[in-house]
Amino acid sequence: MKLTPKIVLRVCVFGLITAVVLLLLNSFFKPEWTKWNNYYTTKGFYEEPEQTIETLFLGASVVQSSVSPMEMYEDHGIVSYNLGTEQQPALGSYYWLRETYDYHSETLKTVVFDVSALRSKSKDSFYHKCLDNMRFSKNKLEAAYEYKKKDIGDTVSFLVPLISYHGRWNSLEESDFTKYSWEADTGTRGYYHITSTYVNQEGLENVTVNSPILDENAEPAELLEDSLKYFYRMVDFCNEKGLKLVLIKTNTRIWDSALHNAVQQVADDCGLEFYDFNFDPLYSYDGFIHAFDSRGDGKHLNYYGAYKFSKWMGDYLVNECGATDVRDNPKYDFMKEQYKEYEARVLQHVDLSSARSLTEYLSIAFEGDNTVLLSVKENASGGMSDADKAFLREKGLVKLAELAVNDSYIAVVQNGEVVYELTGSEKNAKKPISYKGTLPDGTVFRLESGGLETGNTADILVDNASEMSAGKGLNILVYSNELKTSLHTVKFNTANGTGRDVYGMHDIYFLLNEEEFNKEYSPTSIRGKIKTYKAKVDAAAAAGPSVYIPD
């Protein structure tokens, strides 16, 4: 067959269409690993202006939850990025180090690596979570080639989502269709905040406290040979590029003296500093208390622990690594905007999570650039004090303050101003009442409320999706107008009271002063649990002499 210009054109058009379809399918089938910030961490990294990052954090999820770059920026003006990913393999850490250097070679000075990967093997899914959103480059190609043991076919399969995830036909979710409109979360700079503690998740009875006293004579554990290979490559790369590599181990109850001694040997051999926060004196830095500064799994720090850890880390970077304060440098004005996002996304969420009463919660919610949606199920009257009702009247929620027993109720508050408030009795409703409105960003919401005798139901929907499982009493959703996303939800059983059994950041400091702590808490059971925990720590500390890690 003679190749005419028309045939050549048709072939080219067909090839182009095929290539576009394959590219679209590749992107569509690739899951977006949003849990533990994996997606936002790697996507957000590429949103950073080039030649700006000075300190890089690498490692597994324990790094994601322990290091808050924005806290260090607020305190010291440090520009750092947390590139930890869930169960990040050492191979992934090495290639993300190289990728970071490619974009920030002029500014990068310090690399902080959590050593968890040296003793735990990662599954295939965690390699994907680490590498899928790395831009296609020499680094990504080499990482996949190395991981797949230099097998060309397996390397191509790993790099092409259509091949890796072709079996996802039956598990596609709504996020697969909406992900193209997502914006990178730049305000956290890779940090994943957690607000849960043993107190409000698992209970202090289940806390296992390891001894903070290092056993120098413990036989060193065996570290993974494959992980050590890429760790040594990191060492060589940092030496070659003039970067300071620092080793850390964050607080966790799944760590012991044998692992510490093994890593310490490696650090000594390489001439590196190793800071292990599982043993004194670092264990007790800034009043760290495992039961309150950790998530209920005992492996990860919550926000309260991360706040302390980041404070120590910031001081270290300034005093030992010469970290630069950029707060007055116009080149880094973007950090000020990111901090505003951090205040809304993280700090306000933490404050809402730790608010102990309805009035405290609403005060925080009304202060921000938020829309607050309220809906009652069954009964929300009877538990509010005169002070609660006075507060509600002051804020304009008069109908809520005067709500009758078993009455329905819905309300909308934007930027602290009540824009809609309705009760079932006011409408003489015999069934649930509802209201449909539009948020400042154009997103549609819908409220529904039914008292005990008018449906016994409640729902808060944003963009046609139910945002929470409603409970008896007052249900609240806080929507951030600035971030264009739901920020926090809570249920107050205001038929019985307006308090919440939660743990706040300020409690850390009460724990260090028993007299003040006793004034703050009345339930003797809680005090007893904490005293029991502190006794365990004291007993562990008495097991042997403290071993200090050199500065």
Side-chain angles (χ1 to χ4, degrees):
M1 181 179 68
K2 185 177 180 181
L3 290 178
T4 64
K6 182 180 288 188
I7 292 175
V8 172
L9 178 61
R10 287 178 177 176
V11 170
C12 291
V13 170
F14 177 79
L16 180 61
I17 293 174
T18 301
V20 170
V21 169
L22 288 175
L23 285 172
L24 289 174
L25 287 174
N26 269 327
S27 178
F28 182 75
F29 273 93
K30 183 179 68 175
E32 302 302 350
W33 310 101
T34 55
K35 185 179 180 181
W36 283 102
N37 260 17
N38 294 290
Y39 171 86
Y40 296 106
T41 293
T42 50
K43 286 286 187 180
F45 168 79
Y46 292 109
E47 296 289 325
E48 292 299 303
E50 293 188 26
Q51 309 304 341
T52 55
I53 294 175
E54 186 177 84
T55 301
L56 174 67
F57 291 90
L58 294 167
S61 58
V62 293
V63 172
Q64 293 175 276
S65 66
S66 298
V67 180
S68 176
M70 278 305 179
E71 297 292 346
M72 291 184 285
Y73 169 75
E74 173 69 0
D75 288 343
H76 300 289
I78 295 171
V79 180
S80 62
Y81 201 90
N82 187 335
L83 256 177
T85 56
E86 192 177 5
Q87 288 196 29
Q88 185 175 95
L91 177 150
S93 300
Y94 168 64
Y95 280 102
W96 270 114
L97 167 60
R98 285 180 34 173
E99 185 79 352
T100 304
Y101 188 80
D102 284 349
Y103 287 86
H104 302 275
S105 59
E106 296 175 12
T107 55
L108 189 63
K109 291 168 54 177
T110 307
V111 179
V112 183
F113 175 64
D114 181 90
V115 297
S116 299
L118 298 185
R119 52 87 176 160
S120 58
K121 189 174 183 180
S122 296
K123 299 178 182 178
D124 189 68
S125 61
F126 296 114
Y127 281 87
H128 277 289
K129 290 179 180 181
C130 178
L131 299 172
D132 273 0
N133 286 317
M134 181 182 284
R135 288 178 179 174
F136 190 81
S137 63
K138 179 182 178 182
N139 293 326
K140 184 170 184 175
L141 182 60
E142 285 187 15
Y145 188 57
E146 289 275 346
Y147 172 53
K148 290 303 179 179
K149 309 304 180 187
K150 302 182 179 180
D151 183 287
I152 298 297
D154 288 344
T155 300
V156 172
S157 176
F158 184 87
L159 290 171
V160 180
L162 185 58
I163 300 176
S164 294
Y165 304 112
H166 65 276
R168 292 189 69 231
W169 282 105
N170 296 327
S171 61
L172 294 176
E173 301 176 351
E174 182 182 354
S175 60
D176 291 298
F177 299 89
T178 61
K179 61 189 178 185
Y180 301 105
S181 63
W182 292 354
E183 296 181 2
D185 170 15
T186 57
T188 56
R189 300 182 69 82
Y191 166 58
Y192 181 77
H193 82 282
I194 299 169
T195 55
S196 62
T197 70
Y198 282 98
V199 173
N200 58 30
Q201 179 175 332
E202 185 177 325
L204 287 177
E205 301 93 335
N206 302 302
V207 176
T208 300
V209 182
N210 296 335
S211 172
I213 308 305
L214 177 65
D215 180 2
E216 291 183 295
N217 298 317
E219 184 69 22
E222 185 174 349
L223 302 177
L224 292 180
E225 183 177 345
D226 189 63
S227 295
L228 285 171
K229 177 175 73 173
Y230 292 102
F231 167 73
Y232 288 128
R233 288 191 186 182
M234 290 176 63
V235 174
D236 291 340
F237 185 87
C238 289
N239 288 338
E240 177 188 341
K241 303 301 182 182
L243 307 175
K244 180 172 182 176
L245 178 61
V246 181
L247 308 185
I248 61 169
K249 183 67 211 81
T250 58
N251 307 82
T252 177
R253 64 181 184 184
I254 54 171
W255 191 257
D256 56 29
S257 294
L259 287 165
H260 170 93
N261 291 342
V263 174
Q264 190 65 62
Q265 283 186 356
V266 172
D268 291 342
D269 291 342
C270 297
L272 300 176
E273 299 170 9
F274 174 41
Y275 297 95
D276 191 338
F277 288 82
N278 294 280
F279 300 102
D280 279 335
L282 293 180
Y283 177 86
S284 302
Y285 70 93
D286 200 23
F288 176 81
I289 297 178
H290 177 82
F292 297 95
D293 297 324
S294 301
R295 186 188 185 198
D297 61 5
K299 303 175 185 177
H300 304 88
L301 298 187
N302 56 30
Y303 170 78
Y304 314 113
Y307 175 86
K308 293 178 174 182
F309 186 88
S310 300
K311 180 179 179 181
W312 184 96
M313 200 75 240
D315 290 340
Y316 171 81
L317 290 172
V318 169
N319 296 326
E320 304 296 332
C321 304
T324 307
D325 186 344
V326 304
R327 286 173 290 189
D328 294 328
N329 187 337
K331 176 184 175 181
Y332 295 91
D333 281 349
F334 67 91
M335 292 290 292
K336 297 177 182 178
E337 294 303 313
Q338 288 188 10
Y339 188 78
K340 291 179 182 178
E341 182 178 343
Y342 180 76
E343 284 184 306
R345 187 181 299 277
V346 176
L347 300 185
Q348 188 177 191
H349 184 275
V350 171
D351 286 343
L352 289 169
S353 298
S354 61
R356 287 188 170 138
S357 67
L358 175 63
T359 56
E360 184 181 0
Y361 186 92
L362 290 178
S363 294
I364 296 167
F366 292 167
E367 285 177 0
D369 181 11
N370 303 317
T371 297
V372 183
L373 307 177
L374 303 95
S375 174
V376 161
K377 179 180 180 181
E378 186 178 333
N379 178 27
S381 180
M384 289 188 283
S385 67
D386 291 341
D388 293 327
K389 293 177 181 179
F391 169 83
L392 294 174
R393 291 191 185 95
E394 178 188 345
K395 297 300 180 182
L397 294 171
V398 178
K399 296 174 184 177
L400 179 57
E402 301 172 354
L403 191 67
V405 174
N406 297 333
D407 199 0
S408 307
Y409 175 85
I410 51 180
V412 180
V413 182
Q414 285 187 356
N415 298 106
E417 298 293 328
V418 178
V419 297
Y420 187 84
E421 191 179 25
L422 179 69
T423 66
S425 57
E426 174 188 9
K427 195 177 180 182
N428 197 25
K430 304 300 181 183
K431 58 182 181 180
I433 59 175
S434 62
Y435 176 73
K436 186 176 182 180
T438 304
L439 295 165
D441 61 11
T443 301
V444 175
F445 70 88
R446 183 177 181 275
L447 302 176
E448 182 177 88
S449 170
L452 184 62
E453 299 173 357
T454 53
N456 192 19
T457 185
D459 204 359
I460 301 178
L461 296 93
V462 176
D463 199 17
N464 295 319
S466 185
E467 293 287 320
M468 63 185 299
S469 175
K472 178 182 178 181
L474 185 61
N475 299 273
I476 305 174
L477 181 144
V478 180
Y479 186 91
S480 172
N481 301 324
E482 179 182 356
L483 301 177
K484 301 179 182 179
T485 188
S486 296
L487 186 65
H488 197 267
T489 61
V490 70
K491 310 166 192 175
F492 282 93
N493 185 0
T494 46
N496 300 322
T498 57
R500 296 172 68 205
D501 182 17
V502 296
Y503 168 67
M505 183 175 177
H506 55 283
D507 299 325
I508 295 172
Y509 303 103
F510 283 117
L511 285 172
L512 304 181
N513 185 321
E514 188 170 358
E515 180 180 354
E516 290 296 323
F517 178 76
N518 289 338
K519 291 179 182 177
E520 181 72 12
Y521 286 95
S522 56
T524 56
S525 59
I526 296 177
R527 288 205 301 272
K529 291 174 183 177
I530 293 170
K531 288 179 179 178
T532 299
Y533 167 74
K534 293 175 73 175
K536 291 182 180 179
V537 174
D538 292 341
S546 296
V547 178
Y548 284 79
I549 300 175
D551 292 335

